[in-house]
């Protein structure tokens, strides 16, 4: 019974977190200033994984809808439309585009990316930094918007040009556990 209540509380907390991002988009600095934010974006995927032995949730948000048209310029490629593989490896988020079949560009329309959230019952220490690993990643860190706070990391691929050689590794730095 208690575990079911914790799962419900966690899902409600994530929904409230997403709503706060949507409502505060364009206001303030940093994480909440996404140039249009998540307002209009929708949850496209949800993954629960483990990082440093604790549960984390990885949510994919996309704001792009594919338009049926003969005009290739009218099509909008959302993050969900790619064959990107996303996984957690140690203290890193990995985004591997090696399975994509053609070059593309992620939509400029809205937030197109992933939010990693530390679950409420997790014993992970606060997140101090989220850094694109320049030695492993195939893109310049300037081409990717990574924002974080002590319990979450948002990786926005909005406008990112990609091909099958695109590989991105975002390393998280945590405060030492007490």
């Amino acid at each position: 019974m208690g575990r079911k209540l914790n799962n419900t509380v966690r899902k409600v907390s994530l929904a409230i977190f997403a709503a706060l991002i949507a409502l505060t988009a364009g206001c303030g600095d940093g994480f909440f200033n996404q140039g249009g934010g998540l307002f209009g974006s929708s949850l496209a995927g949800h993954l629960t994984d483990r990082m440093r032995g604790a549960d984390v949730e990885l949510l994919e948000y996309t704001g792009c809808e594919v338009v049926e048209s003969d005009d290739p310029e009218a099509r909008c490629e959302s993050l969900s439309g790619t064959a990107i593989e996303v996984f957690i490896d140690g203290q890193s988020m990995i985004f591997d585009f090696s399975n994509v079949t053609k070059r593309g560009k992620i939509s400029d329309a809205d937030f197109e990316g992933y939010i990693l959230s530390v679950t409420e019952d997790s014993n992970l220490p606060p997140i101090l930094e989220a850094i694109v690993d320049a030695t492993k990643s195939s893109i310049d860190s300037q081409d990717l918007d990574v924002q974080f706070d002590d319990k979450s990391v948002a990786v926005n691929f909005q406008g990112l040009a990609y091909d099958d050689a695109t590989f991105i590794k975002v390393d998280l730095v945590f405060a030492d556990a007490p």
Side-chain angles (χ1 to χ4, degrees):
M1 175 88 167
R3 187 150 178 83
K4 186 176 182 180
L5 181 60
N6 280 343
N7 286 338
T8 302
V9 169
R10 181 176 13 171
K11 289 178 182 174
V12 168
S13 296
L14 286 172
I16 290 170
F17 180 71
L20 284 173
I21 292 171
L23 292 173
T24 59
C27 301
D29 294 329
F31 186 67
F32 296 109
N33 188 8
Q34 299 290 331
L38 290 177
F39 195 79
S41 293
S42 61
L43 181 63
H46 176 260
L47 170 74
T48 301
D49 207 335
R50 300 205 39 94
M51 178 177 275
R52 291 180 58 177
D55 287 338
V56 294
E57 294 191 340
L58 193 60
L59 305 171
E60 176 190 349
Y61 285 93
T62 184
C64 179
E65 295 182 21
V66 176
V67 177
E68 294 297 327
S69 171
D70 292 333
D71 178 9
E73 297 299 315
R75 296 194 185 278
C76 182
E77 289 199 44
S78 71
L79 197 56
S80 294
T82 65
I84 183 176
E85 289 184 70
V86 181
F87 52 96
I88 305 298
D89 183 29
Q91 292 185 186
S92 301
M93 300 168 63
I94 306 290
F95 305 96
D96 183 359
F97 289 76
S98 63
N99 292 325
V100 301
T101 57
K102 62 182 175 91
R103 296 167 102 65
K105 183 179 176 189
I106 304 296
S107 168
D108 286 323
D110 274 324
F111 181 90
E112 293 284 341
Y114 292 86
I115 297 177
L116 178 131
S117 298
V118 175
T119 61
E120 191 171 302
D121 57 346
S122 171
N123 60 354
L124 280 175
I127 299 168
L128 297 178
E129 191 77 48
I131 307 164
V132 175
D133 184 338
T135 62
K136 302 285 185 190
S137 300
S138 63
I139 66 162
D140 187 333
S141 63
Q142 305 295 331
D143 295 335
L144 190 65
D145 182 18
V146 179
Q147 302 287 321
F148 69 94
D149 61 21
D150 65 333
K151 294 285 186 192
S152 60
V153 177
V155 180
N156 189 357
F157 292 104
Q158 181 180 24
L160 178 73
Y162 65 88
D163 60 20
D164 62 354
T166 303
F167 184 87
I168 301 164
K169 181 178 180 227
V170 178
D171 296 323
L172 307 185
V173 177
F174 293 90
D176 289 342

